[in-house]
Amino acid sequence: MFSLSKILEAIGSSVLLFLRSFTYLPSITRQFPRFMDQCYIMGYTTLPLVAILSFFIGSVLALQIGYSFQGVSFNQYIGSIVGLAMVREMGPVMTSIMVAGRIGSAITAELASMKVYNEVDALKTMNIPPERILVLPRLLAIILVMPVLAITAITVGWLGGALVAQNVSFIDLDHEIYFRVLKKFVTIDAIMDGLCKAEIFGIAVVTVCCNIGLRTHGGPREIGNAVTKGVVTSIILILFLNYFITKALL
Amino acid sequence: MTNNRNIGQAISVNVVDLSKSFGSEKVLKNINFNVTPGEIFVIMGPSGAGKSIMLKHIIGLLRPDTGKVLLNEMDVIERKTVEQNVIAMVFQEGALFNSLNVFDNLALYLREHRRYNKNNIRTKVTHALEMLSLGNAIDKFPPELSGGMRKRVAIARALVMEPQLLLYDEPTSELDPTMGATISEIIATVRNETQVTSIVVSHDRDLALTISDRVALMMAGEIIEINTPENLTKSKDPRVQSFLNPKINIDQPRFRQKEENK
């Protein structure tokens, strides 16, 4: 089922799809309405979900740290731990997983049904490469939108942590101390590393999901399978890339 | 890219020694035929004979194992062939873009290839829709259309491309007899008015014998006869006669005979 040749073929076809799509960059003016549509779908409609997710991740992080270090007078460092965790790991990774679940699944489902119902073939017969009209606008949109989503996730996560740190009785940390310590430990480099990660994960999710969608054959069951495959592959890829990118950036 | 196109000039099609297999199953076996510019060429045959696969080879969606398809003496698998010749295909289910309305479905090709400015695109699209009595469907989305309307929109979408070669995959399937006849009339009218080379895959006997210049009969991946409609009906080949004039025999049904032969 998971033969090496299939995995290598999937990686190779995804890389080729990514490269082929960017050969159509000069035609971006014709794709501008599609690019704007995708920015709206990927950015505006995903932003509230990312904010809710990050708020609670930041809150729970502060809660767990505060609870674990009760009586050790470690509370003043909650800001630094929540800050760094959100910037380096939780922000980019959780945002990307959210993007895989929400955007990746939608992309795979749309392209897979277009493939199954011959719409992709119809494009080819019109001498309109699917990479130009279907993949490129999505890739450019995620490149633009992903840093915005990641910054939102990080900021809201910090605020969630601050709210909990100030209002939970056994932590009782003033928000000014929380943010002063956070500011001391979270450097611009750390933020850039986090955004860099988020950007790579976002591109990987969109490329993989487009590739799986465009390689779907069969009927409704195969469309469903493709969506599952797209989301699962994206999440595994995010976790896999996260380890190696983190190691490279440290 | 679009400047080199020979817009308006119908093209010839030559299929040379074409074979194709999927796994161990041979679906096309050494196919040879040619279609002259402006001709209506119908490929008939029972379901599963390989007709639609043949059509996908002609438009370059599939690559043959052996042999080739030449459009105006240029191999269809070469990129410049598709860039220099305008080929359109009407898919069996229409293959309309479900996320676009009828107007945008028709305008997509013209916009993407920058064939006309905004006003001319609207004029061209409106004209094509009115020609096929679809003027009131311009703002509708494909799921809101009936089967016959979808087929006509698919034909209109092909027409706005001003193709030199127009392929139809089962244009009258799943339609009532009147709508089937209407689609046949449209195919003949389009050819008469634009001189486009037309290849129609169908098992509609009325369509094939009424509007075609020549008919190829395909069975089990092979072409068993190519002839004019008049001569095809006079063919002595029992397979041709059995296909063209099937007799319903409830005492000895065919599916039982096939089971017994196994």
Side-chain angles (χ1 to χ4, degrees):
Chain A
M1 189 178 165
F2 292 106
S3 68
L4 184 65
S5 63
K6 277 188 181 173
I7 293 171
L8 291 176
E9 192 195 354
I11 294 169
S13 59
S14 295
V15 171
L16 282 176
L17 180 73
F18 177 79
L19 296 175
R20 268 204 310 269
S21 301
F22 276 93
T23 61
Y24 298 108
L25 203 55
S27 72
I28 187 59
T29 48
R30 264 173 282 175
Q31 309 308 327
F32 195 70
R34 285 185 196 91
F35 165 70
M36 292 305 288
D37 270 357
Q38 291 302 323
C39 286
Y40 174 80
I41 295 164
M42 292 179 181
Y44 185 76
T45 62
T46 314
L47 205 64
L49 291 172
V50 166
I52 292 167
L53 182 78
S54 308
F55 180 83
F56 284 103
I57 287 173
S59 307
V60 166
L61 265 177
L63 203 60
Q64 288 282 14
I65 298 161
Y67 179 76
S68 303
F69 293 99
Q70 273 185 92
V72 198
S73 66
F74 189 77
N75 280 0
Q76 69 268 30
Y77 293 107
I78 287 177
S80 64
I81 296 174
V82 173
L84 281 173
M86 287 308 298
V87 164
R88 286 189 179 276
E89 290 300 325
M90 303 310 269
V93 172
M94 295 312 290
T95 304
S96 306
I97 288 175
M98 177 63 88
V99 165
R102 193 179 182 283
I103 307 297
S105 57
I107 290 175
T108 315
E110 187 177 349
L111 299 197
S113 56
M114 285 185 78
K115 180 75 177 20
V116 166
Y117 297 114
N118 289 325
E119 291 181 36
V120 172
D121 279 348
L123 283 175
K124 288 179 186 169
T125 63
M126 293 176 175
N127 196 20
I128 302 171
E131 294 88 352
R132 183 172 90 195
I133 194 169
L134 300 175
V135 185
L136 182 66
R138 287 177 167 87
L139 276 172
L140 294 177
I142 201 71
I143 288 170
L144 182 76
V145 155
M146 205 60 197
V148 178
L149 291 179
I151 288 171
T152 307
I154 291 165
T155 315
V156 174
W158 288 348
L159 291 174
L163 203 70
V164 166
Q166 184 161 358
N167 294 302
V168 171
S169 58
F170 60 78
I171 303 176
D172 195 23
L173 177 71
D174 188 74
H175 71 273
E176 278 185 25
I177 301 170
Y178 175 94
F179 279 112
R180 197 187 310 138
V181 178
L182 186 149
K183 203 174 162 188
K184 194 176 169 188
F185 280 84
V186 177
T187 60
I188 292 291
D189 282 351
I191 295 173
M192 292 311 290
D193 288 355
L195 295 185
C196 179
K197 270 183 174 183
E199 193 75 279
I200 293 170
F201 297 157
I203 292 170
V205 167
V206 170
T207 308
V208 163
C209 290
C210 284
N211 190 44
I212 290 172
L214 289 174
R215 286 159 61 90
T216 305
H217 295 278
R221 179 183 284 187
E222 283 73 17
I223 295 172
N225 290 343
V227 174
T228 309
K229 193 176 165 189
V231 174
V232 171
T233 310
S234 298
I235 292 173
I236 291 171
L237 192 63
I238 289 166
L239 300 175
F240 180 82
L241 287 173
N242 185 39
Y243 176 80
F244 289 101
I245 296 170
T246 305
K247 203 158 183 289
L249 291 174
L250 285 177
Chain B
M1 190 172 74
T2 54
N3 296 338
N4 298 329
R5 286 185 175 151
N6 309 311
I7 294 167
Q9 295 172 5
I11 57 176
S12 63
V13 179
N14 288 306
V15 177
V16 186
D17 298 331
L18 191 85
S19 295
K20 178 76 177 176
S21 299
F22 292 115
S24 58
E25 191 187 357
K26 269 201 147 189
V27 287
L28 296 177
K29 300 167 190 167
N30 203 32
I31 305 281
N32 285 281
F33 64 83
N34 61 70
V35 183
T36 55
E39 184 178 9
I40 296 183
F41 187 81
V42 175
I43 304 173
M44 282 184 91
S47 301
K51 306 183 298 291
S52 296
I53 299 289
M54 182 70 246
L55 214 55
K56 286 187 174 178
H57 278 88
I58 294 173
I59 204 162
L61 287 174
L62 289 175
R63 293 196 170 208
D65 295 337
T66 57
K68 55 190 170 182
V69 176
L70 301 173
L71 305 182
N72 262 2
E73 306 305 321
M74 297 161 78
D75 197 329
V76 74
I77 62 171
E78 286 174 23
R79 186 152 181 78
K80 66 175 182 182
T81 309
V82 185
E83 286 174 354
Q84 289 182 10
N85 299 294
V86 186
I87 312 158
M89 179 159 166
V90 177
F91 286 81
Q92 189 171 353
E93 307 289 341
L96 301 175
F97 305 115
N98 281 323
S99 56
L100 303 178
N101 66 17
V102 168
F103 178 85
D104 289 333
N105 259 282
L106 268 68
L108 181 70
Y109 174 85
L110 303 176
R111 285 176 183 150
E112 283 297 315
H113 292 280
R114 292 192 164 157
R115 291 280 293 269
Y116 298 103
N117 64 29
K118 209 174 173 181
N119 289 338
N120 284 348
I121 287 175
R122 179 157 283 280
T123 310
K124 289 268 172 195
V125 169
T126 312
H127 175 71
L129 288 173
E130 279 170 3
M131 189 177 153
L132 296 175
S133 310
L134 287 163
N136 57 351
I138 195 161
D139 293 323
K140 289 187 175 171
F141 282 81
E144 298 168 339
L145 304 173
S146 67
M149 285 172 93
R150 286 173 75 91
K151 297 260 186 195
R152 282 186 287 152
V153 172
I155 294 173
R157 187 175 70 177
L159 288 181
V160 293
M161 292 169 66
E162 298 173 352
Q164 297 159 273
L165 171 62
L166 188 42
L167 311 175
Y168 301 86
D169 190 5
E170 306 277 12
T172 57
S173 66
E174 298 162 28
L175 296 179
D176 63 76
T178 313
M179 186 50 71
T182 306
I183 297 290
S184 303
E185 288 163 3
I186 289 169
I187 294 170
T189 308
V190 166
R191 193 281 303 266
N192 292 342
E193 290 183 0
T194 65
Q195 290 307 309
V196 63
T197 309
S198 308
I199 300 180
V200 186
V201 155
S202 177
H203 37 60
D204 183 338
R205 203 182 67 137
D206 294 337
L207 177 149
L209 301 181
T210 313
I211 65 164
S212 68
D213 295 311
R214 284 186 304 149
V215 183
L217 190 59
M218 203 170 169
M219 284 186 180
E222 288 176 290
I223 289 189
I224 59 168
E225 183 153 351
I226 299 178
N227 225 323
T228 59
E230 297 77 32
N231 291 337
L232 192 75
T233 51
K234 293 173 194 161
S235 172
K236 298 275 187 273
D237 190 327
R239 294 172 298 176
V240 177
Q241 286 307 323
S242 167
F243 182 78
L244 292 179
N245 305 299
K247 289 190 173 62
I248 298 170
N249 186 346
I250 53 171
D251 296 325
Q252 270 193 306
R254 282 180 186 76
F255 68 94
R256 288 269 161 76
Q257 289 174 27
K258 281 180 184 171
E259 279 176 6
E260 283 163 13
N261 290 339
K262 280 180 186 173

